[in-house]
Amino acid sequence: MMAPALLVLLLNNYIPMIGSLIAFKQIEYTADSFFQSFMHSKWVGLANFDYLFSTTDAWTITRNTLLYNAVFIFLNLVIGVTFALLFNAMRNRRLAKLHQSVMFLPYFLSMIVISYLVYAFLNPDIGILNRVVLPWFGVEPIDWYSEPKWWPIILPIINTWKGIGYYAVIFLAAIIGIDQEYYEAATIDGASKWRQIRSITLPLIRPVIIVLTLLQIGRIFYSDFGLFFQVTRNSGILYDTTLVIDTYVYQGFIVSADIGMSSAAGLYQALVGFMLVLLSNLVIRRISKDDALF
């Protein structure tokens, strides 16, 4: 019974990993097919990885990628659990479902659509913030796409607004699955709502929290390309606070068309993410063996 699933896993996930060898070759398109070009291209060892670490941008893109994703993980966890608790506490279930649907809607929007929505707010000349909000508070208009200092605040807000409905629904599903007898017993014992949350809800949804956190940690070296490229409109003056590994590699590939360099970056991200998942799971296993992912 497992054979079909294992076959799909092998064909879809593991055989394509042979392509990781591209990261160690200098691809020369000299043959009729890419496979023949790959076979006849020379091995260059770790030379393709030098592109990521030999420039002054290496520290900037690594710092931005890690810090942004760390903030995203923290906000998705805290705000997602908070909204799930609030939805669960709503007495009017129809109204609760309406709130969930409205919050879930941005998750399905393309980053291109979101980039235009953001531009409608941040446009220096006709944006809602500069034309309506800031003058109301007596603040001078801001050229948002020319001042990097604002984007470490703007990007987490946009990412949270887009994805928080997804995490809230998952956490809510975990909360709904808790046996209500625990809460009835706690109520009889005189436990307050806050006490029930701390002693019943959070401990029982901890496995879900850990799994989602580990999955996000596994992609901590990856970035939402649309968020950092489309939403920022690829403004060069913002690169100090918006340039991440994915956008850096994309721009390098557009300029040099070096598939080996791009493959090296992808392999580097995958290996670091894999090691971080193993390390995080090891830490969790040390703390609570039952809550470890594997």
Side-chain angles (χ1 to χ4, degrees), residues 104-115:
F104 210 167
L105 178 61
Y107 180 76
F108 297 101
L109 294 180
S110 165
M111 269 300 173
I112 297 177
V113 175
I114 292 178
S115 68

Side-chain angles (χ1 to χ4, degrees), residues 138-208:
V139 179
E140 292 294 326
I142 300 173
D143 190 353
W144 301 98
Y145 292 94
S146 298
E147 298 192 21
K149 64 180 180 180
W150 298 108
W151 289 90
I153 301 174
I154 295 172
L155 290 175
I157 291 175
I158 296 172
N159 181 80
T160 303
W161 170 77
K162 184 179 188 299
I164 200 61
Y166 170 81
Y167 291 99
V169 168
I170 292 180
F171 291 133
L172 179 61
I175 293 174
I176 293 176
I178 298 175
D179 193 339
Q180 294 300 309
E181 292 183 358
Y182 291 113
Y183 296 103
E184 294 173 0
T187 302
I188 294 173
D189 291 338
S192 63
K193 288 294 184 181
W194 173 240
R195 180 68 177 179
Q196 292 177 32
I197 291 174
R198 288 191 298 131
S199 302
I200 300 175
T201 307
L202 294 181
L204 291 179
I205 67 171
R206 185 170 58 186
V208 176

Side-chain angles (χ1 to χ4, degrees), residues 224-293:
D224 189 329
F225 181 83
L227 176 65
F228 289 94
F229 187 82
Q230 299 287 352
V231 173
T232 64
R233 306 183 72 83
N234 197 30
S235 177
I237 199 171
L238 303 178
Y239 280 171
D240 187 53
T241 56
T242 62
L243 193 63
V244 291
I245 294 177
D246 295 81
T247 54
Y248 185 76
V249 171
Y250 170 79
Q251 292 168 4
F253 180 74
I254 291 298
V255 173
S256 63
D258 190 348
I259 190 175
M261 177 273 296
S262 299
S263 299
L267 181 60
Y268 166 65
Q269 290 175 301
L271 289 177
V272 172
F274 178 67
M275 296 304 297
L276 286 174
V277 169
L278 292 180
L279 179 61
S280 302
N281 188 76
L282 179 62
V283 172
I284 294 172
R285 179 176 287 274
R286 294 279 186 179
I287 298 174
S288 177
K289 187 176 181 179
D290 294 334
D291 291 326
L293 186 60

Side-chain angles (χ1 to χ4, degrees), residues 17-65:
M17 290 178 65
I18 298 174
S20 299
L21 296 176
I22 297 174
F24 305 97
K25 282 200 167 192
Q26 181 180 347
I27 302 298
E28 299 176 355
Y29 300 98
T30 57
D32 296 331
S33 67
F34 177 79
F35 179 76
Q36 292 178 334
S37 298
F38 170 77
M39 295 299 295
H40 292 91
S41 298
K42 65 178 181 180
W43 295 92
V44 293
L46 300 177
N48 287 322
F49 292 87
D50 291 341
Y51 183 87
L52 291 176
F53 305 106
S54 61
T55 67
T56 56
D57 295 327
W59 160 248
T60 300
I61 62 176
T62 302
R63 177 202 64 193
N64 290 345
T65 303

